[in-house]
Amino acid sequence: LFPYREILVFLMFPVQARYLVTVFGFIAFVSSVSGGEGVAHVVHLGGFITGFVLLRWVGIARTSLVSGRTPFLGSVREAYRRYRMKRLRKKFESYYDKRSGGDPPVH
């Protein structure tokens, strides 16, 4: 969520979080290809990819244009809101048909 935050590696070297995550992902990839050691490196890669998808596709890290804040699962909430509005619109149109006895006006 904070790619520019500096993290101290070995309590001495400040590194930005985005570079550190990239290095850890590369290490997990190389370790999964080489095999061995009894550590599930492929599972670590799956977590890395899942985190990336959550940050990019779902929209956790997207900032709101109005408030400038980062909404939690903003695009999921927006999709749910659009679904509810569409459902309510259909209900209203069927109610309007019953009340007027005809077709609703075309938009």
Side-chain angles (χ1 to χ4, degrees):
L1 291 177
F2 307 103
Y4 298 104
R5 181 166 288 176
E6 290 189 351
I7 299 172
L8 292 176
V9 179
F10 301 118
L11 299 174
M12 296 175 81
F13 307 109
V15 179
Q16 287 185 359
R18 60 185 176 158
Y19 298 131
L20 192 62
V21 169
T22 304
V23 167
F24 283 154
F26 179 74
I27 291 172
F29 177 74
V30 169
S31 298
S32 68
V33 172
S34 67
E37 301 150 22
V39 177
H41 295 289
V42 176
V43 176
H44 287 114
L45 282 176
F48 179 77
I49 292 169
T50 302
F52 181 78
V53 166
L54 282 174
L55 287 173
R56 294 293 178 186
W57 183 66
V58 175
I60 293 175
R62 293 185 184 154
T63 59
S64 174
L65 295 176
V66 176
S67 65
R69 298 180 310 177
T70 57
F72 182 70
L73 296 178
S75 63
V76 173
R77 286 183 184 162
E78 182 63 25
Y80 179 68
R81 188 190 67 78
R82 284 193 310 264
Y83 161 75
R84 294 272 317 257
M85 291 298 288
K86 185 177 178 181
R87 195 175 95 195
L88 287 173
R89 189 175 298 118
K90 284 183 181 181
K91 282 184 178 182
F92 178 76
E93 286 176 358
S94 66
Y95 174 76
Y96 185 75
D97 281 343
K98 289 178 187 177
R99 295 281 288 174
S100 67
D103 291 334
V106 179
H107 311 338

